[in-house]
Amino acid sequence: MNIPRRLFLRLGALAAAATLAGCDPSLIGAGGTGPTIDASAPVPVALLVPGSAGQTSEIASLSRSLENAARLAIADLQGVEVDLTVYPTGGTAGGASVAATQAADAGARIILGPLYAESANAAGVAVASRGLNVLTFSNNSAIAGGNVFVLGNTFDNVARRLTTYAAAQGKRNVIVVSAITPAEEAGRNAILRAAGNARLNVVSNLTFPLSEAGIRTVASQIVAQSRATGADAIFFTSENAGAMAFLPQFLQEQGLSSNVSQFIGLTRLDVGLGALAAPGIQGAWFALPDPALNNNFRSRYASAYGTSPHALAGLAYDGVAAIGALVAQGRSDALTRGALTQGSGFVGVNGIFRLRSDGTNERGMAVAQIQNNRVIVIDAAPTRFGGAGF
């Protein structure tokens, strides 16, 4: 199989972009207990989106989708009024810092967004001394803490769900495979942590450069290690836009499939044109948001706005839903750290979730398998914390 050069140029671009997701943890704000509010009055909420004049149509569409989802959530609130003001950041840390400061000056009591890790970090630092909390759409746990809470689904969440399920299905010896990029290394570390907690034995930890030669080489290494160790599961950190577009086929060509050693993807293996019919992918497991809730949201969004929501739009809805649920309790401390991290959590459009005191989150997810070119849920998303799936 010859891999088109344009796809490897895309792989290189992804690897380069991943380096932009990091931040300096020393800049994280140390404040964040939260403001007092008048729960009987409209609550001023600032929504920070990446779009601004001169941005690409893709970023403009994403920003519009986030705002639409937030307003859909506001319309669903009962007995609570939210006064939403949207601030564009331009997708930069500097722009996020300015926007967060403007929002605080205008009286915002909590900030929803921004999306990118560095921007979220900058926004948190900008308003830490003002006692405001930031609910960012980022999934980068490195920026969590202080007054910054991440709403995005983290690698740790996905890895915990999949390793726990794998252990429950009798899997014991696993191989972990990751490309040498910041994002995939973070994913690999999440799997290693989760595997230890689930008492899975990592018999091999393989890494490879994100290139055609690297993918071909690691495929042969995976086959050799699988046969040598008797591994009963293989965890992959790569996306379909990266190495997973090729690895399953390369493995299949060498006689290794999910029928021999269970393939498990840290990312959504159903995303991308033709993903479900890709050679070698049948039988693979991955995690996804609660399908019933997510499909309902997508249907309601399409009905309201005449188009499908961006994949990240649900995070904006979840943020507003959490704020509304807390304010509905009528407490003046509804937006403080103690309230935001309530143990019972919240129900969002992707399932149940709760914010942790360290700024990260826990999300209830389903486990799915690709069967006959279709996505089949093989373990439903949990409906409460402490139940099955947690």
Side-chain angles (χ1 to χ4, degrees), residues 276-278 282 370-375:
L276 296 179
Q282 301 304 311
I370 299 176
Q371 300 177 10
N372 299 319
N373 301 350
R374 297 174 57 206
V375 175

Side-chain angles (χ1 to χ4, degrees), residues 288-302 309 349-350:
L288 76 169
D290 187 308
L293 291 175
N294 185 256
N295 289 338
N296 181 60
F297 165 67
R298 295 181 63 82
S299 177
R300 293 181 59 243
Y301 183 102
V349 297
N350 292 313

Side-chain angles (χ1 to χ4, degrees), residues 41-346:
V43 180
V45 176
L47 173 64
L48 273 57
V49 299
S52 65
Q55 291 282 67
T56 65
S57 58
E58 181 180 356
I59 295 299
S61 177
L62 166 59
S63 300
R64 186 165 53 251
S65 196
L66 289 169
E67 180 180 352
N68 287 345
R71 297 200 182 281
L72 186 62
I74 291 172
D76 287 344
L77 297 178
Q78 298 182 355
V80 173
E81 292 186 61
V82 168
D83 180 11
L84 186 75
T85 304
V86 181
Y87 296 85
T89 68
T92 68
S97 180
V98 170
T101 300
Q102 290 175 340
D105 289 344
R109 309 312 285 162
I110 193 166
I111 292 176
L112 189 57
L115 174 61
Y116 305 122
E118 290 180 340
S119 296
N121 187 67
V125 170
V127 299
S129 64
R130 312 284 284 270
L132 298 185
N133 288 310
V134 175
L135 307 184
T136 171
F137 304 135
S138 173
N139 68 344
N140 189 336
S141 297
I143 62 166
N147 62 330
V148 177
F149 296 85
V150 295
L151 287 174
N153 195 17
T154 65
F155 287 143
D156 284 305
N157 271 325
V158 181
R160 177 200 53 76
R161 181 67 168 103
L162 291 170
T163 54
T164 300
Y165 180 75
Q169 302 310 302
K171 306 303 180 186
R172 292 293 178 265
N173 299 314
V174 303
I175 295 172
V176 180
V177 182
S178 59
I180 304 172
T181 71
E184 293 204 35
E185 288 167 0
R188 175 201 64 201
N189 292 338
I191 293 172
L192 295 177
R193 285 190 294 269
N197 291 333
R199 298 187 177 181
L200 295 178
N201 181 32
V202 178
V203 296
S204 187
N205 181 7
L206 300 175
T207 62
F208 63 96
L210 197 52
S211 64
E212 179 172 4
I215 294 174
R216 290 189 180 280
T217 297
V218 81
S220 297
Q221 292 173 341
I222 293 169
V223 172
Q225 285 297 303
S226 178
R227 291 170 178 166
T229 63
D232 47 24
I234 304 171
F235 280 86
F236 300 92
T237 64
S238 297
E239 298 179 315
N240 284 340
M244 284 305 282
F246 317 107
L247 262 175
Q249 179 174 351
F250 290 171
L251 295 174
Q252 184 182 55
E253 291 170 353
Q254 298 183 57
L256 183 60
S257 70
S258 272
N259 292 328
V260 178
S261 185
Q262 181 63 55
F263 291 0
I264 307 176
L266 186 68
T267 63
R268 290 284 298 269
L269 300 181
D270 59 332
V271 173
L273 184 64
L276 296 179
I281 203 66
Q282 301 304 311
W285 295 349
F286 62 97
L288 76 169
D290 187 308
L293 291 175
N294 185 256
N295 289 338
N296 181 60
F297 165 67
R298 295 181 63 82
S299 177
R300 293 181 59 243
Y301 183 102
S303 178
Y305 301 109
T307 186
S308 296
H310 189 279
L312 298 176
L315 297 175
Y317 188 106
D318 285 358
V320 171
I323 292 168
L326 293 171
V327 174
Q329 298 173 13
R331 296 163 40 182
S332 62
D333 64 346
L335 302 182
T336 62
R337 168 184 294 278
L340 290 168
T341 57
Q342 65 177 22
S344 57
F346 312 95

